[in-house]
Amino acid sequence: MQHPYGGGRRGPRLRRRRRRLPDAPATPTDSGVQSSTHPDYGTKWLTEEHIKDTADAMAANLKQAGYTNVNLDAGWNANWDWQFRTDANGIPEADPERFPNGIASLARYVHGKGLKLGLYGGAGLQKPIYDKNAPILGTDCTTQDITVMPLTPTNMWGGDWKIDFTKPCAQAYFDSIADRFASWGVDFVKIDGVTTDNIPDIEAWSKAIDQSGRKMWLTASAWPIPREAGEGLRPWANSVRVDTDVECYCNTVSTWTSSVDNRWEDLPKWLDVVEPNYWPDLDSMPINNNTGRGIQDGITDVERQSVMTFWSMASSPLYVGGDLSNIDDKAVSILTNREVIAVDQAGVIPTQVTAGTLQVWKKRLPDGRLAVAVYNLGDQPADITVTWQQLGVHGNRQLRDLVNHRDLGKSNKSWTAKSVPAHGSRLITLS
């Protein structure tokens, strides 16, 4: 599921937009629930029935706070043996066992809930599509006519063939996929495995979406995107994955050290290139279920709040991982805190004030308030003091705790977050 940013796609024919309420992307996807001790989860979870259940749960629990997107990850067009399905023209189509009524029908159901639908794809040309030599719609070309020769592996896993974008039919092939997605009512596209080598793929997707006539969010993904690709992707993608998978591929979705805490180390490397409408994607937030049936998160409530605070300070899309049909009350409380969401939706890239074990981050909100977050990445409780000199402000300031909706009074020199627990955080504003 994704919390919506109000922007459309980024590209040369669309005005850049400031996002309003972000597509709070919770990502109820197959990959989102592969890791869990619950026996029902795994590669066979991704089905039409489960996605409808997810849409129902999102509409009931999270929609009112602005979460809008149900995004399907890898596997929506794969059979149970993980063989990917395409039609005669090499265009991905849903596996009929997983989605017997097709994606267009599913999109109508999701849209009927007031939500949006997203799909997944990979960079490059899949080898089976090349082998099929599929005719490209609207052209005299086939998929074997658009690859680099000799055949060259591409993307992060090297499993697909590199496309030669000097050949005009290459763009036509992407246009045919985007047109099909548009006809189904797709609102979001994630392209995975992107390296510097695949910047032209994202450019082609951007142009294809623009010409389709339908707004779709385009995110470039990998584990993570190489930093050297950052500037090249910026004109074409709405968001960019700046970190590895949050999922640990163990018996739960994630743990603090595998790999939630990587975000604090990796986001700073991207702060000089991300900007409004080219948002840093920190992957899905493991804030869904720590209790009862289908336990997934693998992190504590304190850690879950730190995740929500860090993603929001980063102005990252707010994706929620896991099976939302089993979301717990604490997750709903954390995810629907409107004061914290407003920090995310402000659409401002943050500044890291201090690094290390005890970190301080800040960003100026559009209404003039200064948002300040502190994080204790250590293993013992700690006091964290922030001075006005560090923040570049002076004078009396009114402090407010956004997580607990509580005014903290005034201060004119500093603020100390007392006894911040291990892996904990605090989020305040100065006005």
Side-chain angles (χ1 to χ4, degrees):
M1 170 195 78
Q2 175 181 329
H3 207 325
Y5 290 102
R9 281 233 342 76
R10 188 181 168 87
R13 289 178 291 282
L14 288 180
R15 262 187 334 148
R16 284 173 48 174
R17 297 167 174 256
R18 285 186 75 83
R19 60 185 176 178
R20 299 174 297 240
L21 200 63
D23 288 312
T27 314
T29 65
D30 186 45
S31 63
V33 292
Q34 285 175 346
S35 295
S36 175
T37 55
H38 194 279
D40 290 350
Y41 297 140
T43 58
K44 292 191 176 182
W45 183 89
L46 184 56
T47 65
E48 184 173 310
E49 177 185 3
H50 284 139
I51 296 304
K52 287 182 176 180
D53 289 345
T54 294
D56 294 345
M58 187 190 299
N61 296 299
L62 301 176
K63 176 185 170 183
Q64 50 86 20
Y67 292 81
T68 59
N69 279 41
V70 179
N71 297 333
L72 281 61
D73 212 75
W76 66 272
N77 65 323
N79 62 20
W80 306 130
D81 295 323
W82 214 245
Q83 296 170 324
F84 289 82
R85 181 183 180 92
T86 59
D87 71 3
N89 298 107
I91 299 172
E93 62 180 9
D95 179 74
E97 290 190 68
R98 293 182 188 270
F99 297 95
N101 294 301
I103 298 300
S105 173
L106 180 64
R108 287 192 294 272
Y109 184 89
V110 171
H111 292 160
K113 298 285 180 178
L115 304 172
K116 299 178 181 180
L117 186 74
L119 292 182
Y120 170 101
L125 182 71
Q126 289 183 355
K127 292 178 179 179
I129 299 175
Y130 176 87
D131 294 340
K132 181 185 288 190
N133 200 24
I136 298 171
L137 284 176
T139 75
D140 295 327
C141 302
T142 71
T143 51
Q144 291 189 3
D145 295 325
I146 65 171
T147 57
V148 168
M149 298 301 289
L151 290 171
T152 304
T154 191
N155 68 38
M156 186 160 277
W157 52 84
D160 298 323
W161 296 130
K162 182 176 174 60
I163 295 171
D164 183 349
F165 287 97
T166 67
K167 299 178 178 179
C169 290
Q171 185 62 53
Y173 177 62
F174 282 81
D175 291 351
S176 71
I177 302 174
D179 288 345
R180 185 67 52 82
F181 284 8
S183 73
W184 291 341
V186 171
D187 306 290
F188 173 105
V189 178
K190 169 184 173 180
I191 302 301
D192 204 6
V194 174
T195 68
T196 305
D197 195 43
N198 301 118
I199 292 172
D201 295 68
I202 300 301
E203 178 181 353
W205 268 106
S206 178
K207 293 177 178 178
I209 290 170
D210 285 350
Q211 66 82 43
S212 78
R214 184 175 181 84
K215 287 183 180 179
M216 303 182 211
W217 183 284
L218 177 62
T219 189
S221 180
W223 340 296
I225 297 278
R227 174 58 187 84
E228 57 268 24
E231 285 79 4
L233 291 169
R234 183 165 53 191
W236 311 112
N238 290 110
S239 51
V240 57
R241 268 284 294 279
V242 302
D243 218 313
T244 187
D245 285 355
V246 78
E247 193 170 34
C248 63
Y249 302 97
C250 55
N251 63 354
T252 183
V253 167
S254 63
T255 68
W256 180 257
T257 57
S258 182
S259 59
V260 172
D261 64 350
N262 289 95
R263 320 293 121 170
W264 280 262
E265 177 185 355
D266 293 335
L267 177 60
K269 304 169 187 174
W270 285 83
L271 293 177
D272 64 336
V273 66
V274 291
E275 63 182 11
N277 215 23
Y278 184 53
W279 307 107
D281 180 350
L282 294 171
D283 200 12
S284 61
M285 300 183 294
I287 305 175
N288 181 62
N289 183 287
N290 273 341
T291 58
R293 181 177 183 273
I295 295 174
Q296 296 167 343
D297 291 351
I299 60 177
T300 68
D301 287 349
V302 166
E303 293 165 345
R304 291 205 283 181
Q305 182 59 62
S306 293
V307 164
M308 181 68 178
T309 297
F310 191 70
W311 266 242
S312 294
M313 280 295 289
S315 284
S316 175
L318 301 179
Y319 300 102
V320 183
D323 178 1
L324 290 187
S325 64
N326 285 314
I327 194 168
D328 64 28
D329 291 343
K330 183 63 175 179
V332 173
S333 175
I334 292 171
L335 292 167
T336 59
N337 186 326
R338 291 181 180 274
E339 291 193 69
V340 178
I341 289 171
V343 173
D344 180 85
Q345 291 299 289
V348 177
I349 301 301
T351 299
Q352 185 180 33
V353 179
T354 63
T357 301
L358 304 180
Q359 295 198 6
V360 178
W361 292 67
K362 69 175 184 177
K363 69 179 182 182
R364 181 71 63 179
L365 304 180
D367 63 7
R369 292 178 301 155
L370 187 69
V372 179
V374 299
Y375 306 97
N376 178 6
L377 304 183
D379 295 327
Q380 298 295 327
D383 295 346
I384 305 177
T385 296
V386 184
T387 68
W388 284 189
Q389 183 177 14
Q390 287 176 300
L391 299 178
V393 300
H394 61 274
N396 266 344
R397 298 286 165 157
Q398 179 67 46
L399 280 57
R400 181 168 177 80
D401 179 338
L402 302 187
V403 173
N404 295 302
H405 311 295
R406 185 163 58 95
D407 290 331
L408 302 178
K410 290 184 177 181
S411 178
N412 65 1
K413 290 184 178 180
S414 66
W415 164 66
T416 298
K418 297 282 191 181
S419 300
V420 180
H423 310 164
S425 60
R426 301 280 169 77
L427 175 62
I428 67 168
T429 54
L430 279 62
S431 57

